[in-house]
Amino acid sequence: MRQIKCYDEFNGLAQPFSIYIDRYPDECPICHYSLVPKLIDSFITTEDRVESIFKCTKHNCSFLFIGYFRLDKAYVYGRGADSRWIFEFAVPRLNESKEFSDEITMLSTSFVEIYNESLKAESEQLMHVAGMGYRKSLEFLIKDYLIDYKKQEKQTIENKLLGRCIRDHIDHVRIKELAKRAAWLGNDETHFVRKWENKSITDLKQLIQLVVNWISQEILSDKLIESMPE
């Protein structure tokens, strides 16, 4: 917890008082650099929201941005002095896109497009939409991999559920096991009831990245071996 000074704009109080926030933002939403920003000022703007002005400490950025904090209702001490607040997100966010290797881009342009659209949704705090998008990107990656690289029968793969495609058609152990778990978390983003309560979109993205890495390595390895026959 960090103790900071805060003005209560919501109740029109003139003098600042101390509140506690769980942490500073750890990334500038504009340059996306990991950092400890400089706190400029903080304000209680609604009944359960604090808005804090931060300055990026990266020398070639130095932009101001706003961090949003919600009241920690598990710690009931009121909204005034010594109240506790939890960091939620920072704005404005400049859209960032993720670049993938040539092997992945050539294999599935749809995967790259859907993943980056999901990344944009996440940057705008559209978390429900982002989660479903990442799940869709995984399906395009796996099915394009099976159809275009593994030369599986197109209609069979197109008509099969993602989980069955992974189970029945992927023979690479690491890709199979990681893709299976990514599908589990992806399904959580589309279903009414979550099965993996302790996992998040961050875990889903990490699993997708690992699947991407293994597929890219497989394709690149095959290319190099083919280019150097015995």
Side-chain angles (χ1 to χ4, degrees), residues 185-224:
L185 296 191
N187 289 339
D188 264 4
E189 298 298 329
T190 63
H191 292 165
F192 189 78
V193 177
R194 297 185 70 91
K195 292 184 178 180
W196 299 89
E197 292 287 350
N198 63 332
K199 299 295 183 183
S200 66
I201 282 181
T202 300
D203 299 293
L204 172 58
K205 289 165 63 180
Q206 185 177 42
L207 284 165
I208 292 174
Q209 183 61 56
L210 288 168
V211 172
V212 165
N213 292 347
W214 280 104
I215 290 177
S216 184
Q217 285 185 27
E218 181 183 4
I219 295 172
L220 185 57
S221 297
D222 288 346
K223 282 182 179 178
L224 288 171

mmCIF file of all heavy atoms in Angstrom, residues 185-224:
data_model
loop_
_atom_site.group_PDB
_atom_site.id
_atom_site.type_symbol
_atom_site.label_atom_id
_atom_site.label_comp_id
_atom_site.label_asym_id
_atom_site.label_seq_id
_atom_site.Cartn_x
_atom_site.Cartn_y
_atom_site.Cartn_z
ATOM 1 N N LEU A 185 -9.189 -21.791 -21.182
ATOM 2 C CA LEU A 185 -9.349 -20.409 -20.709
ATOM 3 C C LEU A 185 -10.140 -19.576 -21.707
ATOM 4 O O LEU A 185 -10.915 -18.693 -21.314
ATOM 5 C CB LEU A 185 -7.978 -19.776 -20.458
ATOM 6 C CG LEU A 185 -7.123 -20.401 -19.352
ATOM 7 C CD1 LEU A 185 -5.923 -19.508 -19.056
ATOM 8 C CD2 LEU A 185 -7.928 -20.609 -18.073
ATOM 9 N N GLY A 186 -9.955 -19.843 -22.991
ATOM 10 C CA GLY A 186 -10.722 -19.132 -24.002
ATOM 11 C C GLY A 186 -12.206 -19.411 -23.878
ATOM 12 O O GLY A 186 -13.037 -18.502 -24.024
ATOM 13 N N ASN A 187 -12.543 -20.650 -23.590
ATOM 14 C CA ASN A 187 -13.954 -21.002 -23.405
ATOM 15 C C ASN A 187 -14.551 -20.296 -22.198
ATOM 16 O O ASN A 187 -15.727 -19.916 -22.211
ATOM 17 C CB ASN A 187 -14.102 -22.518 -23.253
ATOM 18 C CG ASN A 187 -13.842 -23.259 -24.551
ATOM 19 O OD1 ASN A 187 -13.925 -22.676 -25.627
ATOM 20 N ND2 ASN A 187 -13.503 -24.533 -24.466
ATOM 21 N N ASP A 188 -13.753 -20.095 -21.171
ATOM 22 C CA ASP A 188 -14.220 -19.340 -20.002
ATOM 23 C C ASP A 188 -14.645 -17.925 -20.383
ATOM 24 O O ASP A 188 -15.536 -17.338 -19.763
ATOM 25 C CB ASP A 188 -13.117 -19.266 -18.937
ATOM 26 C CG ASP A 188 -13.272 -20.349 -17.876
ATOM 27 O OD1 ASP A 188 -14.176 -21.195 -18.011
ATOM 28 O OD2 ASP A 188 -12.502 -20.339 -16.907
ATOM 29 N N GLU A 189 -13.988 -17.363 -21.403
ATOM 30 C CA GLU A 189 -14.316 -16.003 -21.833
ATOM 31 C C GLU A 189 -15.623 -15.930 -22.622
ATOM 32 O O GLU A 189 -16.145 -14.844 -22.871
ATOM 33 C CB GLU A 189 -13.176 -15.433 -22.693
ATOM 34 C CG GLU A 189 -11.848 -15.313 -21.974
ATOM 35 C CD GLU A 189 -11.896 -14.373 -20.778
ATOM 36 O OE1 GLU A 189 -12.680 -13.411 -20.837
ATOM 37 O OE2 GLU A 189 -11.155 -14.612 -19.807
ATOM 38 N N THR A 190 -16.155 -17.085 -23.012
ATOM 39 C CA THR A 190 -17.381 -17.099 -23.808
ATOM 40 C C THR A 190 -18.557 -17.739 -23.086
ATOM 41 O O THR A 190 -19.683 -17.665 -23.576
ATOM 42 C CB THR A 190 -17.153 -17.856 -25.141
ATOM 43 O OG1 THR A 190 -16.842 -19.229 -24.868
ATOM 44 C CG2 THR A 190 -16.012 -17.230 -25.933
ATOM 45 N N HIS A 191 -18.299 -18.370 -21.935
ATOM 46 C CA HIS A 191 -19.356 -19.090 -21.230
ATOM 47 C C HIS A 191 -19.891 -18.303 -20.037
ATOM 48 O O HIS A 191 -19.216 -17.416 -19.499
ATOM 49 C CB HIS A 191 -18.836 -20.447 -20.751
ATOM 50 C CG HIS A 191 -18.544 -21.387 -21.892
ATOM 51 N ND1 HIS A 191 -17.802 -22.527 -21.737
ATOM 52 C CD2 HIS A 191 -18.893 -21.347 -23.214
ATOM 53 C CE1 HIS A 191 -17.700 -23.154 -22.909
ATOM 54 N NE2 HIS A 191 -18.350 -22.447 -23.807
ATOM 55 N N PHE A 192 -21.081 -18.646 -19.624
ATOM 56 C CA PHE A 192 -21.749 -17.961 -18.512
ATOM 57 C C PHE A 192 -21.027 -18.212 -17.187
ATOM 58 O O PHE A 192 -20.882 -17.311 -16.361
ATOM 59 C CB PHE A 192 -23.205 -18.440 -18.420
ATOM 60 C CG PHE A 192 -24.057 -17.650 -17.466
ATOM 61 C CD1 PHE A 192 -24.560 -16.405 -17.826
ATOM 62 C CD2 PHE A 192 -24.360 -18.147 -16.203
ATOM 63 C CE1 PHE A 192 -25.334 -15.669 -16.951
ATOM 64 C CE2 PHE A 192 -25.133 -17.420 -15.321
ATOM 65 C CZ PHE A 192 -25.625 -16.178 -15.700
ATOM 66 N N VAL A 193 -20.583 -19.444 -16.981
ATOM 67 C CA VAL A 193 -19.903 -19.826 -15.731
ATOM 68 C C VAL A 193 -18.434 -20.110 -16.033
ATOM 69 O O VAL A 193 -18.108 -20.848 -16.966
ATOM 70 C CB VAL A 193 -20.558 -21.070 -15.098
ATOM 71 C CG1 VAL A 193 -19.798 -21.494 -13.844
ATOM 72 C CG2 VAL A 193 -22.018 -20.791 -14.763
ATOM 73 N N ARG A 194 -17.553 -19.505 -15.243
ATOM 74 C CA ARG A 194 -16.119 -19.730 -15.409
ATOM 75 C C ARG A 194 -15.696 -20.981 -14.648
ATOM 76 O O ARG A 194 -16.114 -21.198 -13.506
ATOM 77 C CB ARG A 194 -15.318 -18.533 -14.900
ATOM 78 C CG ARG A 194 -15.565 -17.237 -15.645
ATOM 79 C CD ARG A 194 -14.631 -16.139 -15.153
ATOM 80 N NE ARG A 194 -13.259 -16.394 -15.559
ATOM 81 C CZ ARG A 194 -12.729 -15.943 -16.698
ATOM 82 N NH1 ARG A 194 -13.453 -15.219 -17.535
ATOM 83 N NH2 ARG A 194 -11.480 -16.207 -17.007
ATOM 84 N N LYS A 195 -14.843 -21.796 -15.262
ATOM 85 C CA LYS A 195 -14.297 -22.974 -14.593
ATOM 86 C C LYS A 195 -12.949 -22.681 -13.944
ATOM 87 O O LYS A 195 -12.550 -23.349 -12.997
ATOM 88 C CB LYS A 195 -14.144 -24.119 -15.590
ATOM 89 C CG LYS A 195 -15.471 -24.673 -16.092
ATOM 90 C CD LYS A 195 -15.247 -25.871 -17.003
ATOM 91 C CE LYS A 195 -16.575 -26.453 -17.467
ATOM 92 N NZ LYS A 195 -16.385 -27.632 -18.364
ATOM 93 N N TRP A 196 -12.238 -21.681 -14.479
ATOM 94 C CA TRP A 196 -10.889 -21.371 -14.005
ATOM 95 C C TRP A 196 -10.905 -19.976 -13.375
ATOM 96 O O TRP A 196 -10.423 -19.015 -13.949
ATOM 97 C CB TRP A 196 -9.882 -21.454 -15.151
ATOM 98 C CG TRP A 196 -9.828 -22.828 -15.749
ATOM 99 C CD1 TRP A 196 -10.591 -23.315 -16.765
ATOM 100 C CD2 TRP A 196 -8.984 -23.904 -15.321
ATOM 101 N NE1 TRP A 196 -10.272 -24.625 -17.010
ATOM 102 C CE2 TRP A 196 -9.283 -25.007 -16.136
ATOM 103 C CE3 TRP A 196 -8.005 -24.022 -14.329
ATOM 104 C CZ2 TRP A 196 -8.637 -26.242 -15.990
ATOM 105 C CZ3 TRP A 196 -7.365 -25.247 -14.179
ATOM 106 C CH2 TRP A 196 -7.677 -26.325 -15.007
ATOM 107 N N GLU A 197 -11.444 -19.903 -12.176
ATOM 108 C CA GLU A 197 -11.633 -18.621 -11.497
ATOM 109 C C GLU A 197 -10.314 -17.932 -11.173
ATOM 110 O O GLU A 197 -10.256 -16.708 -11.056
ATOM 111 C CB GLU A 197 -12.443 -18.819 -10.207
ATOM 112 C CG GLU A 197 -13.895 -19.235 -10.428
ATOM 113 C CD GLU A 197 -14.751 -18.095 -10.948
ATOM 114 O OE1 GLU A 197 -14.272 -16.946 -10.967
ATOM 115 O OE2 GLU A 197 -15.901 -18.349 -11.351
ATOM 116 N N ASN A 198 -9.263 -18.702 -11.007
ATOM 117 C CA ASN A 198 -7.966 -18.122 -10.624
ATOM 118 C C ASN A 198 -7.104 -17.758 -11.823
ATOM 119 O O ASN A 198 -5.943 -17.386 -11.674
ATOM 120 C CB ASN A 198 -7.199 -19.094 -9.720
ATOM 121 C CG ASN A 198 -6.871 -20.401 -10.421
ATOM 122 O OD1 ASN A 198 -7.601 -20.822 -11.333
ATOM 123 N ND2 ASN A 198 -5.802 -21.061 -10.009
ATOM 124 N N LYS A 199 -7.671 -17.859 -13.027
ATOM 125 C CA LYS A 199 -6.933 -17.506 -14.235
ATOM 126 C C LYS A 199 -7.589 -16.296 -14.901
ATOM 127 O O LYS A 199 -8.760 -16.014 -14.686
ATOM 128 C CB LYS A 199 -6.900 -18.678 -15.219
ATOM 129 C CG LYS A 199 -6.218 -19.932 -14.665
ATOM 130 C CD LYS A 199 -4.736 -19.705 -14.391
ATOM 131 C CE LYS A 199 -4.059 -20.975 -13.902
ATOM 132 N NZ LYS A 199 -2.631 -20.761 -13.570
ATOM 133 N N SER A 200 -6.812 -15.584 -15.722
ATOM 134 C CA SER A 200 -7.302 -14.344 -16.323
ATOM 135 C C SER A 200 -6.920 -14.274 -17.801
ATOM 136 O O SER A 200 -6.291 -15.189 -18.349
ATOM 137 C CB SER A 200 -6.703 -13.142 -15.590
ATOM 138 O OG SER A 200 -5.291 -13.094 -15.810
ATOM 139 N N ILE A 201 -7.280 -13.155 -18.433
ATOM 140 C CA ILE A 201 -6.895 -12.928 -19.826
ATOM 141 C C ILE A 201 -5.373 -12.939 -19.973
ATOM 142 O O ILE A 201 -4.847 -13.385 -20.998
ATOM 143 C CB ILE A 201 -7.480 -11.587 -20.328
ATOM 144 C CG1 ILE A 201 -8.961 -11.759 -20.672
ATOM 145 C CG2 ILE A 201 -6.730 -11.068 -21.540
ATOM 146 C CD1 ILE A 201 -9.617 -10.507 -21.192
ATOM 147 N N THR A 202 -4.660 -12.479 -18.964
ATOM 148 C CA THR A 202 -3.198 -12.504 -19.007
ATOM 149 C C THR A 202 -2.680 -13.926 -19.190
ATOM 150 O O THR A 202 -1.761 -14.169 -19.981
ATOM 151 C CB THR A 202 -2.610 -11.889 -17.721
ATOM 152 O OG1 THR A 202 -3.059 -10.539 -17.604
ATOM 153 C CG2 THR A 202 -1.087 -11.911 -17.752
ATOM 154 N N ASP A 203 -3.273 -14.868 -18.467
ATOM 155 C CA ASP A 203 -2.869 -16.274 -18.599
ATOM 156 C C ASP A 203 -3.225 -16.806 -19.991
ATOM 157 O O ASP A 203 -2.442 -17.556 -20.593
ATOM 158 C CB ASP A 203 -3.555 -17.125 -17.531
ATOM 159 C CG ASP A 203 -3.179 -16.704 -16.124
ATOM 160 O OD1 ASP A 203 -2.011 -16.874 -15.756
ATOM 161 O OD2 ASP A 203 -4.049 -16.185 -15.403
ATOM 162 N N LEU A 204 -4.398 -16.415 -20.501
ATOM 163 C CA LEU A 204 -4.807 -16.836 -21.841
ATOM 164 C C LEU A 204 -3.810 -16.331 -22.882
ATOM 165 O O LEU A 204 -3.369 -17.085 -23.766
ATOM 166 C CB LEU A 204 -6.216 -16.316 -22.139
ATOM 167 C CG LEU A 204 -6.735 -16.500 -23.569
ATOM 168 C CD1 LEU A 204 -6.726 -17.966 -23.975
ATOM 169 C CD2 LEU A 204 -8.145 -15.913 -23.688
ATOM 170 N N LYS A 205 -3.428 -15.075 -22.789
ATOM 171 C CA LYS A 205 -2.476 -14.504 -23.740
ATOM 172 C C LYS A 205 -1.111 -15.194 -23.636
ATOM 173 O O LYS A 205 -0.437 -15.398 -24.653
ATOM 174 C CB LYS A 205 -2.331 -13.002 -23.491
ATOM 175 C CG LYS A 205 -3.552 -12.198 -23.888
ATOM 176 C CD LYS A 205 -3.524 -10.791 -23.316
ATOM 177 C CE LYS A 205 -2.377 -9.970 -23.809
ATOM 178 N NZ LYS A 205 -2.378 -8.600 -23.229
ATOM 179 N N GLN A 206 -0.721 -15.524 -22.435
ATOM 180 C CA GLN A 206 0.567 -16.205 -22.255
ATOM 181 C C GLN A 206 0.548 -17.578 -22.922
ATOM 182 O O GLN A 206 1.517 -17.965 -23.595
ATOM 183 C CB GLN A 206 0.881 -16.347 -20.761
ATOM 184 C CG GLN A 206 2.249 -16.944 -20.478
ATOM 185 C CD GLN A 206 2.552 -17.006 -19.001
ATOM 186 O OE1 GLN A 206 1.696 -17.357 -18.192
ATOM 187 N NE2 GLN A 206 3.779 -16.673 -18.637
ATOM 188 N N LEU A 207 -0.545 -18.299 -22.761
ATOM 189 C CA LEU A 207 -0.660 -19.619 -23.387
ATOM 190 C C LEU A 207 -0.676 -19.507 -24.908
ATOM 191 O O LEU A 207 -0.031 -20.292 -25.608
ATOM 192 C CB LEU A 207 -1.921 -20.327 -22.884
ATOM 193 C CG LEU A 207 -1.835 -20.904 -21.468
ATOM 194 C CD1 LEU A 207 -3.222 -21.255 -20.944
ATOM 195 C CD2 LEU A 207 -0.936 -22.144 -21.454
ATOM 196 N N ILE A 208 -1.415 -18.523 -25.433
ATOM 197 C CA ILE A 208 -1.438 -18.322 -26.879
ATOM 198 C C ILE A 208 -0.041 -18.010 -27.400
ATOM 199 O O ILE A 208 0.390 -18.534 -28.432
ATOM 200 C CB ILE A 208 -2.427 -17.203 -27.263
ATOM 201 C CG1 ILE A 208 -3.871 -17.644 -26.983
ATOM 202 C CG2 ILE A 208 -2.271 -16.829 -28.733
ATOM 203 C CD1 ILE A 208 -4.902 -16.549 -27.188
ATOM 204 N N GLN A 209 0.693 -17.176 -26.674
ATOM 205 C CA GLN A 209 2.048 -16.828 -27.086
ATOM 206 C C GLN A 209 2.951 -18.059 -27.111
ATOM 207 O O GLN A 209 3.776 -18.216 -28.018
ATOM 208 C CB GLN A 209 2.632 -15.764 -26.159
ATOM 209 C CG GLN A 209 4.019 -15.284 -26.560
ATOM 210 C CD GLN A 209 4.044 -14.653 -27.942
ATOM 211 O OE1 GLN A 209 3.302 -13.705 -28.203
ATOM 212 N NE2 GLN A 209 4.885 -15.172 -28.834
ATOM 213 N N LEU A 210 2.790 -18.937 -26.138
ATOM 214 C CA LEU A 210 3.590 -20.165 -26.113
ATOM 215 C C LEU A 210 3.238 -21.074 -27.283
ATOM 216 O O LEU A 210 4.125 -21.673 -27.906
ATOM 217 C CB LEU A 210 3.380 -20.889 -24.779
ATOM 218 C CG LEU A 210 4.022 -20.220 -23.564
ATOM 219 C CD1 LEU A 210 3.516 -20.851 -22.276
ATOM 220 C CD2 LEU A 210 5.550 -20.322 -23.644
ATOM 221 N N VAL A 211 1.943 -21.163 -27.611
ATOM 222 C CA VAL A 211 1.536 -21.943 -28.786
ATOM 223 C C VAL A 211 2.162 -21.347 -30.042
ATOM 224 O O VAL A 211 2.695 -22.066 -30.890
ATOM 225 C CB VAL A 211 -0.005 -21.980 -28.903
ATOM 226 C CG1 VAL A 211 -0.425 -22.623 -30.225
ATOM 227 C CG2 VAL A 211 -0.626 -22.745 -27.738
ATOM 228 N N VAL A 212 2.098 -20.025 -30.151
ATOM 229 C CA VAL A 212 2.701 -19.321 -31.290
ATOM 230 C C VAL A 212 4.198 -19.639 -31.382
ATOM 231 O O VAL A 212 4.715 -19.937 -32.464
ATOM 232 C CB VAL A 212 2.485 -17.798 -31.153
ATOM 233 C CG1 VAL A 212 3.400 -17.030 -32.099
ATOM 234 C CG2 VAL A 212 1.029 -17.435 -31.423
ATOM 235 N N ASN A 213 4.885 -19.590 -30.252
ATOM 236 C CA ASN A 213 6.328 -19.849 -30.243
ATOM 237 C C ASN A 213 6.662 -21.252 -30.742
ATOM 238 O O ASN A 213 7.578 -21.438 -31.555
ATOM 239 C CB ASN A 213 6.889 -19.659 -28.837
ATOM 240 C CG ASN A 213 6.853 -18.215 -28.370
ATOM 241 O OD1 ASN A 213 6.639 -17.305 -29.172
ATOM 242 N ND2 ASN A 213 7.040 -17.992 -27.091
ATOM 243 N N TRP A 214 5.919 -22.248 -30.263
ATOM 244 C CA TRP A 214 6.200 -23.631 -30.646
ATOM 245 C C TRP A 214 5.876 -23.883 -32.112
ATOM 246 O O TRP A 214 6.617 -24.576 -32.810
ATOM 247 C CB TRP A 214 5.429 -24.592 -29.749
ATOM 248 C CG TRP A 214 6.084 -24.810 -28.416
ATOM 249 C CD1 TRP A 214 5.713 -24.281 -27.211
ATOM 250 C CD2 TRP A 214 7.240 -25.607 -28.146
ATOM 251 N NE1 TRP A 214 6.560 -24.701 -26.208
ATOM 252 C CE2 TRP A 214 7.509 -25.516 -26.758
ATOM 253 C CE3 TRP A 214 8.071 -26.383 -28.935
ATOM 254 C CZ2 TRP A 214 8.573 -26.184 -26.157
ATOM 255 C CZ3 TRP A 214 9.138 -27.058 -28.334
ATOM 256 C CH2 TRP A 214 9.379 -26.948 -26.951
ATOM 257 N N ILE A 215 4.764 -23.305 -32.594
ATOM 258 C CA ILE A 215 4.418 -23.471 -34.011
ATOM 259 C C ILE A 215 5.475 -22.801 -34.885
ATOM 260 O O ILE A 215 5.930 -23.366 -35.892
ATOM 261 C CB ILE A 215 3.021 -22.890 -34.305
ATOM 262 C CG1 ILE A 215 1.944 -23.769 -33.664
ATOM 263 C CG2 ILE A 215 2.786 -22.791 -35.810
ATOM 264 C CD1 ILE A 215 0.529 -23.225 -33.837
ATOM 265 N N SER A 216 5.884 -21.599 -34.501
ATOM 266 C CA SER A 216 6.900 -20.875 -35.258
ATOM 267 C C SER A 216 8.211 -21.658 -35.286
ATOM 268 O O SER A 216 8.862 -21.761 -36.342
ATOM 269 C CB SER A 216 7.110 -19.493 -34.638
ATOM 270 O OG SER A 216 8.007 -18.727 -35.392
ATOM 271 N N GLN A 217 8.593 -22.236 -34.146
ATOM 272 C CA GLN A 217 9.829 -23.020 -34.087
ATOM 273 C C GLN A 217 9.738 -24.264 -34.962
ATOM 274 O O GLN A 217 10.705 -24.642 -35.636
ATOM 275 C CB GLN A 217 10.125 -23.421 -32.646
ATOM 276 C CG GLN A 217 10.650 -22.282 -31.788
ATOM 277 C CD GLN A 217 11.056 -22.737 -30.395
ATOM 278 O OE1 GLN A 217 11.421 -23.897 -30.200
ATOM 279 N NE2 GLN A 217 10.991 -21.841 -29.443
ATOM 280 N N GLU A 218 8.568 -24.900 -34.956
ATOM 281 C CA GLU A 218 8.397 -26.104 -35.779
ATOM 282 C C GLU A 218 8.546 -25.769 -37.266
ATOM 283 O O GLU A 218 9.251 -26.460 -38.005
ATOM 284 C CB GLU A 218 7.030 -26.733 -35.520
ATOM 285 C CG GLU A 218 6.812 -28.004 -36.341
ATOM 286 C CD GLU A 218 5.437 -28.614 -36.147
ATOM 287 O OE1 GLU A 218 4.598 -28.017 -35.432
ATOM 288 O OE2 GLU A 218 5.192 -29.687 -36.731
ATOM 289 N N ILE A 219 7.880 -24.695 -37.699
ATOM 290 C CA ILE A 219 7.936 -24.303 -39.105
ATOM 291 C C ILE A 219 9.360 -23.923 -39.505
ATOM 292 O O ILE A 219 9.881 -24.355 -40.542
ATOM 293 C CB ILE A 219 6.974 -23.140 -39.377
ATOM 294 C CG1 ILE A 219 5.521 -23.596 -39.168
ATOM 295 C CG2 ILE A 219 7.159 -22.610 -40.797
ATOM 296 C CD1 ILE A 219 4.506 -22.467 -39.237
ATOM 297 N N LEU A 220 10.005 -23.109 -38.667
ATOM 298 C CA LEU A 220 11.371 -22.668 -38.973
ATOM 299 C C LEU A 220 12.345 -23.837 -38.968
ATOM 300 O O LEU A 220 13.226 -23.929 -39.825
ATOM 301 C CB LEU A 220 11.801 -21.604 -37.963
ATOM 302 C CG LEU A 220 13.162 -20.948 -38.192
ATOM 303 C CD1 LEU A 220 13.226 -20.301 -39.567
ATOM 304 C CD2 LEU A 220 13.442 -19.913 -37.102
ATOM 305 N N SER A 221 12.190 -24.741 -38.009
ATOM 306 C CA SER A 221 13.065 -25.914 -37.940
ATOM 307 C C SER A 221 12.927 -26.778 -39.191
ATOM 308 O O SER A 221 13.931 -27.228 -39.771
ATOM 309 C CB SER A 221 12.728 -26.750 -36.703
ATOM 310 O OG SER A 221 12.959 -26.021 -35.521
ATOM 311 N N ASP A 222 11.698 -27.009 -39.623
ATOM 312 C CA ASP A 222 11.464 -27.818 -40.830
ATOM 313 C C ASP A 222 12.089 -27.155 -42.053
ATOM 314 O O ASP A 222 12.666 -27.826 -42.919
ATOM 315 C CB ASP A 222 9.962 -28.024 -41.049
ATOM 316 C CG ASP A 222 9.359 -28.990 -40.032
ATOM 317 O OD1 ASP A 222 10.134 -29.683 -39.350
ATOM 318 O OD2 ASP A 222 8.118 -29.037 -39.923
ATOM 319 N N LYS A 223 11.978 -25.820 -42.137
ATOM 320 C CA LYS A 223 12.561 -25.104 -43.271
ATOM 321 C C LYS A 223 14.077 -25.282 -43.316
ATOM 322 O O LYS A 223 14.666 -25.522 -44.381
ATOM 323 C CB LYS A 223 12.227 -23.619 -43.181
ATOM 324 C CG LYS A 223 10.828 -23.242 -43.614
ATOM 325 C CD LYS A 223 10.654 -21.727 -43.517
ATOM 326 C CE LYS A 223 9.264 -21.302 -43.969
ATOM 327 N NZ LYS A 223 9.084 -19.821 -43.833
ATOM 328 N N LEU A 224 14.722 -25.144 -42.154
ATOM 329 C CA LEU A 224 16.174 -25.238 -42.111
ATOM 330 C C LEU A 224 16.641 -26.656 -42.424
ATOM 331 O O LEU A 224 17.639 -26.853 -43.128
ATOM 332 C CB LEU A 224 16.677 -24.814 -40.739
ATOM 333 C CG LEU A 224 16.570 -23.308 -40.444
ATOM 334 C CD1 LEU A 224 16.881 -23.017 -38.989
ATOM 335 C CD2 LEU A 224 17.516 -22.526 -41.359
#
